[in-house]
Amino acid sequence: ILRETLSKRGVRVLTGLGKYFRQIDKNRTGLLPQAAFKEGLKVFHLEVPEGDFESLWLVLDDGKSNKVDYGEFTRAVFGEMNEYRKAYVRKAYMKLDFNKTGSVPVVDIRKCYCAK
């Protein structure tokens, strides 16, 4: 149900929801309690009937921690990247990791990317 609602309103809502979740995640754990997750859905007018929400929560809270990883939620809605996109991301990463260290500091990203 949620996936159908999101597909009608598009990526813009989902990216806005992700941004909202990151803003309320003050500790930057990537995890949200049930109440915060439910509130975020309401803010973006993603009304989910209570019974459906409980089913959704059971799937999302697979570790029974009473929190949801909103990154996993996003991946569950979007799905995995196709091979073309994965190859493109790998190619971009290899360009950014010109020292071949396996990590890319923000300083190196700034050298290659302008957000303007």
Side-chain angles (χ1 to χ4, degrees):
I1 291 174
L2 188 58
R3 184 177 237 171
E4 291 168 12
T5 304
L6 283 170
S7 68
K8 289 177 188 172
R9 300 210 347 243
V11 173
R12 195 172 46 193
V13 170
L14 190 57
T15 54
L17 186 60
K19 184 177 179 181
Y20 175 82
F21 286 157
R22 285 188 296 280
Q23 287 174 344
I24 63 174
D25 180 16
K26 302 293 183 203
N27 298 329
R28 300 218 184 267
T29 62
L31 301 171
L32 293 174
Q34 185 177 20
F37 182 75
K38 188 183 274 191
E39 183 62 28
L41 295 179
K42 280 184 187 176
V43 166
F44 283 84
H45 307 287
L46 297 169
E47 304 299 327
V48 179
E50 191 58 37
D52 291 337
F53 181 83
E54 291 302 322
S55 297
L56 173 65
W57 187 256
L58 288 173
V59 171
L60 293 173
D61 184 26
D62 59 358
K64 306 296 179 237
S65 63
N66 210 23
K67 293 187 177 184
V68 65
D69 180 321
Y70 56 83
E72 285 185 23
F73 164 72
T74 303
R75 283 186 293 281
V77 173
F78 272 131
E80 291 295 321
M81 282 193 282
N82 63 36
E83 287 305 314
Y84 176 78
R85 284 186 66 205
K86 285 181 186 177
Y88 204 80
V89 168
R90 280 189 211 100
K91 189 175 179 179
Y93 186 82
M94 288 170 59
K95 243 187 183 5
L96 291 171
D97 186 21
F98 45 83
N99 294 327
K100 307 296 182 234
T101 61
S103 65
V104 181
V106 173
V107 173
D108 290 349
I109 294 172
R110 284 188 184 129
K111 290 176 186 174
C112 301
Y113 181 75
C114 176
K116 290 180 183 178

